[in-house]
Amino acid sequence: QAYRLLATVMFIVAMAWMTELAAWHGAAAKIEIRASKHSQALLHKLLAAFCDADVCLDKSLNIVQHAPKLGALLLRNAAFGEPTSIRGPIHIMDIVHPEDRGLL
């Protein structure tokens, strides 16, 4: 009887510890996400101040966010860069002049 009670108490303590550990990991992940978003916002502001246009690319070099400044520089619409269901995402090399592609 005593061993059963001890095992039950140890099980409850272990479950409480695991729950608290999961809560700590969740809170740490939220803090990291918030810091990352803050850093990304600061970087975007810095690039906007120094560059004519900034473009967000994925690892395949597709434009992943609309780029109104780039659209204005290329004399296109303000929604330039937004993927459409008809065309899909825009690859950055699609807007680079063929003679300049070797420079990138």
Side-chain angles (χ1 to χ4, degrees), residues 28-86:
K30 287 180 183 179
I31 290 170
E32 187 175 337
I33 289 170
R34 187 176 294 144
S36 176
K37 286 181 180 179
H38 181 68
S39 297
Q40 187 177 14
L42 289 175
L43 179 62
H44 179 72
K45 287 180 182 180
L46 181 67
L47 287 173
F50 284 106
C51 302
D52 292 331
D54 59 313
V55 180
C56 290
L57 305 174
D58 63 9
K59 62 183 174 182
S60 300
L61 299 179
N62 292 318
I63 299 174
V64 294
Q65 293 180 354
H66 75 279
K69 289 184 178 181
L70 181 62
L73 285 171
L74 298 174
L75 302 175
R76 299 194 184 184
N77 64 6
F80 181 75
E82 288 185 13
T84 62
S85 59
I86 298 169

Side-chain angles (χ1 to χ4, degrees), residues 1-19:
Q1 184 71 10
Y3 291 116
R4 189 176 211 183
L5 181 61
L6 180 62
T8 303
V9 170
M10 288 184 67
F11 177 74
I12 291 171
V13 169
M15 292 303 291
W17 179 75
M18 288 174 47
T19 303

